[in-house]
Amino acid sequence: MTRHVVVIGAGIVGAACALELLRDGHRVTIIEPGDPGGEQSASYGNGTLLNPSSVIPMSTPGIWKKVPGYLRDPLGPLAIRWTYLPKLLPWLRRFVTAGSTPEKLSAIGRALQPLLADAPARHRTLAEEAGVGDLITRQGVLFAYPDRAAFEAESLTWRVRRENGTKWLELDEDELRQREPTLSRNYKFAVLVEENGQCRDPGTYVAALIRHAVASGATLRRTRATGFRIANRHLRGVMTEDGEIAADNAVIAAGAYSKQLAAAAGDRVPLETERGYHVVISEPGIEPRYPVMPSDGKMAFAMTPAGLRIGGQVELAGLEAEPNWKRADVLLAFVRKVYPDIPADLPPERIKHWMGHRPSTPDGLPCLGPASGCGDIVHAFGHGHVGLTAGATTGKLVADLIAGRAASVDLTPYAARRFA
Ligand SMILES: Cc1cc2nc3c(=O)[nH]c(=O)nc-3n(C[C@H](O)[C@H](O)[C@H](O)COP(=O)(O)OP(=O)(O)OC[C@H]3O[C@@H](n4cnc5c(N)ncnc54)[C@H](O)[C@@H]3O)c2cc1C
């Protein structure tokens, strides 16, 4: 039965949902106040990586010991703003316990795996349909270490990756030099995960997906969703700043802004923004072959059509606070540690900064499934650090739910009710 489905948000998740719903023959309306895939969305500025290997949540055993350091160092890879701490505490408590044992870490890894599996191929299919297939590549991603001992110190997380099907090549110093001569010689060991890929320009990709959805019959409404009209537990309409849109179903895909909408649909979810930053250096003068994640940097380096993008940082400071651009400078300062051939005196006009909001739950798993207050509303938010990768499969699972098809994946770990 075809239905009118309103998709709230035009980031990667909303875009993939819209396309899969159109495939099923539904009438689709997309609500988005900004430009689809625009700078307001996390989908614009992320690290560009499509890594099926990203099954490790931010919460890992022993992370609670690091919290005082997160509070002390405002420029560290993970920082908590003091002024935001009182609001953050309920989320933080859940966060430090979510992955506090190896068993919990493994369980989260198992739950993330089906959302990430085959991501480069799934995105490639969507991108080709939208006429931008060349944006998706699968060249592998390098995880660079100062030496093998540094890699072995992370044996728990690599074990969880292996349990979830990740295969890798271990590169010694010589092999690493041959494969990636631009990389600093301070990295003497690396792991190459060949199945990992990249979306070279995520903002352009999402904009193309939405254009394709509109060309295939979807309507794009430039407004903001504010709530729902629900009668007898059935959805009647989505409320927006410009009035009501009658709807049979709605999909909440508003990224970090989904909390109030989820509450209006009956689920109180501890959703936070893990604010992240990127820097793009145009014409960096190097041509790295692989995206790189240096173990000592907690950031991702990847070439994009606009230049070398360095994405990373986690700042827990809420949706409202002004960006702290010193954090972007931290990313920039690290560049020459990874690529020493990049000039030290880059002119400011060749450097662009961005800050955006990862939609993050404490356990690193999204909310994906019917809302508690009304089964016609489907949650599709909270993908944290892996939303670009998981977006394609999320779209398919949302379409399965709305069509009443048996989902190919057990959705239990993603139920919003797990936080009740
Ligand atoms: C620095 C950084 C690096 C990252 N690196 C990676 C990576 O390498 N790989 C990866 O897989 N993921 C990565 N991520 C995470 C990834 O970018 C996000 O998980 C993903 O983009 C979330 O997509 P989304 O569609 O849920 O949200 P968004 O992309 O944020 O889109 C939500 C949209 O909803 C709209 N919206 C908000 N409120 C409303 C409303 N009330 N009504 C209608 N619309 C609304 C917004 O305007 C926005 O356009 C990174 C994130 C950051 C910040």
Side-chain angles (χ1 to χ4, degrees):
M1 194 172 66
T2 64
R3 306 172 68 87
H4 181 208
V5 187
V6 172
V7 176
I8 303 170
I12 183 59
V13 174
C17 290
L19 287 172
E20 297 297 343
L21 289 161
L22 286 163
R23 217 188 289 287
D24 281 346
H26 299 297
R27 187 154 79 83
V28 173
T29 299
I30 304 159
I31 306 183
E32 166 62 57
D35 290 333
E39 291 197 22
Q40 81 289 350
S41 65
S43 299
Y44 170 87
N46 52 64
T48 77
L49 303 184
L50 301 174
N51 288 356
S53 68
S54 290
V55 292
I56 308 299
M58 287 298 287
S59 174
T60 48
I63 198 157
W64 62 271
K65 291 184 217 148
K66 299 182 183 162
V67 170
Y70 298 156
L71 282 159
R72 266 197 308 272
D73 181 3
L75 299 180
L78 196 160
I80 301 172
R81 279 211 201 159
W82 270 106
T83 47
Y84 192 63
L85 186 60
K87 273 199 180 153
L88 183 68
L89 268 179
W91 184 93
L92 194 59
R93 258 191 230 114
R94 289 179 188 268
F95 173 73
V96 294
T97 55
S100 59
T101 64
E103 294 71 30
K104 287 182 179 178
L105 196 71
S106 285
I108 294 173
R110 276 197 302 281
L112 278 172
Q113 189 272 342
L115 299 178
L116 307 175
D118 297 330
R122 287 172 183 273
H123 282 284
R124 179 83 187 199
T125 303
L126 287 178
E128 278 171 357
E129 286 170 10
V132 290
D134 58 325
L135 289 180
I136 309 294
T137 55
R138 209 191 76 175
Q139 70 285 56
V141 170
L142 272 180
F143 297 77
Y145 292 88
D147 50 32
R148 177 178 272 278
F151 164 67
E152 283 168 359
E154 295 183 359
S155 60
L156 171 63
T157 51
W158 284 100
R159 193 193 81 205
V160 173
R161 289 187 183 96
R162 181 186 287 120
E163 285 167 7
N164 285 290
T166 302
K167 296 190 176 69
W168 62 82
L169 295 176
E170 298 185 3
L171 307 180
D172 65 18
E173 197 175 350
D174 271 357
E175 289 165 311
L176 179 56
R177 276 313 71 76
Q178 285 172 35
R179 286 194 184 248
E180 193 60 286
T182 53
L183 198 68
S184 160
R185 286 169 185 265
N186 292 332
Y187 296 102
K188 296 184 170 37
F189 182 83
V191 160
L192 175 62
V193 181
E194 288 179 300
E195 68 168 340
N196 286 350
Q198 195 195 354
C199 171
R200 294 172 58 245
D201 187 346
T204 299
Y205 171 48
V206 172
L209 295 185
I210 295 289
R211 261 199 317 278
H212 179 53
V214 170
S216 309
T219 302
L220 174 63
R221 292 278 301 268
R222 296 301 195 101
T223 186
R224 194 180 303 274
T226 53
F228 304 101
R229 188 162 66 81
I230 298 168
N232 301 326
R233 294 181 74 82
H234 282 291
L235 181 68
R236 302 291 178 214
V238 175
M239 312 310 293
T240 78
E241 286 178 346
D242 298 299
E244 179 177 336
I245 301 174
D248 302 309
N249 291 89
V251 180
I252 305 178
Y257 300 88
S258 301
K259 190 172 175 165
Q260 273 74 30
L261 292 166
D267 287 301
R268 282 164 55 90
V269 175
L271 184 71
E272 264 301 329
T273 158
E274 283 185 64
R275 298 147 59 102
Y277 291 78
H278 87 210
V279 172
V280 175
I281 303 172
S282 64
E283 299 167 40
I286 53 163
E287 280 294 334
R289 187 168 158 201
Y290 302 102
V292 174
M293 302 197 61
S295 66
D296 48 347
K298 308 288 174 217
M299 48 186 90
F301 291 73
M303 283 307 287
T304 70
L308 178 68
R309 181 183 287 194
I310 308 108
Q313 305 270 16
V314 171
E315 182 182 45
L316 295 164
L319 285 167
E320 306 301 332
E322 286 298 307
N324 175 0
W325 292 121
K326 286 190 191 146
R327 296 187 66 86
D329 295 340
V330 170
L331 296 174
L332 192 58
F334 208 86
V335 170
R336 295 188 69 255
K337 288 193 186 166
V338 178
Y339 300 115
D341 294 342
I342 293 185
D345 51 351
L346 289 164
E349 63 276 12
R350 280 181 40 206
I351 298 166
K352 193 178 167 231
H353 292 161
W354 172 86
M355 190 275 285
H357 299 284
R358 296 182 189 89
S360 295
T361 61
D363 57 13
L365 295 172
C367 292
L368 175 48
S372 301
C374 174
D376 298 330
I377 303 173
V378 176
H379 297 309
F381 61 86
H383 296 74
H385 289 245
V386 295
L388 179 67
T389 312
T393 295
T394 298
K396 179 75 178 71
L397 292 172
V398 165
D400 286 346
L401 272 171
I402 289 178
R405 283 190 295 267
S408 53
V409 170
D410 174 17
L411 299 180
T412 319
Y414 323 126
R417 245 173 265 128
R418 70 189 186 275
F419 299 116

